[in-house]
Amino acid sequence: MKTLIAIVLLLAPTAFCQDKNPAEGAALLARAERGDAAAQSELSVRLATGKWTPGDYKEFARWYRLLANQGGAESQMYLGLMYSVGQGVPEDSFEAARWLRKAADQGRVDAQYELGKMYCELSVSLHEAARP
């Protein structure tokens, strides 16, 4: 088991080891990689609360996309926000709105707010672009 944990620690992004117990963090990451929904959910919470921070935003996006595709509203919201500013993913308002809408449809008030804000900004931009 120690060998497996050591391998996971070597292969995993180093920033995932900010846990107080790196072996526990590595085991959680290994379970999440194998598709364990509970481990993936815990990973999402740790990412969202800053208990784990990947070395770069592409790693955040990778995990959030995995979890968002499984229906995780929080991950959908964070992935949408990442698309809205181009953090770890290409900036893409349509993708941002798509993910925020999925989260909003599940009752995430913060996603509903962000989606509404996007619509307002788009409306103002369209209005300004239509001026002679």
Side-chain angles (χ1 to χ4, degrees):
M1 182 65 169
K2 287 182 182 179
T3 304
L4 174 63
I5 290 172
I7 291 170
V8 170
L9 283 172
L10 288 173
L11 296 176
T14 56
F16 276 111
C17 299
Q18 288 186 354
D19 241 338
K20 290 181 181 174
N21 182 345
E24 178 188 324
L28 178 66
L29 182 59
R31 288 194 340 264
E33 289 279 7
R34 287 193 308 266
D36 181 319
Q40 291 172 348
S41 178
E42 175 64 20
L43 180 60
S44 176
V45 169
R46 290 183 187 200
L47 284 168
T49 59
K51 289 183 180 177
W52 279 354
T53 38
D56 63 47
Y57 287 105
K58 287 181 182 180
E59 189 66 15
F60 259 126
R62 182 176 83 83
W63 280 101
Y64 281 139
R65 183 174 292 104
L66 175 70
L67 299 164
N69 282 329
Q70 295 178 19
E74 183 173 50
S75 297
Q76 291 168 343
M77 183 195 67
Y78 284 121
L79 187 57
L81 292 174
M82 292 179 82
Y83 272 109
S84 73
V85 296
Q87 200 168 46
V89 294
E91 188 172 340
D92 186 331
S93 297
F94 294 106
E95 274 298 294
R98 184 170 79 89
W99 287 111
L100 288 170
R101 165 62 64 197
K102 287 178 182 251
D105 287 347
Q106 292 189 64
R108 288 290 308 217
V109 175
D110 41 6
Q112 293 167 359
Y113 170 80
E114 292 296 334
L115 189 60
K117 197 167 76 170
M118 280 184 71
Y119 289 154
C120 286
E121 290 168 1
L122 178 62
S123 175
V124 168
S125 296
L126 289 174
H127 181 70
E128 288 174 357
R131 288 186 183 170

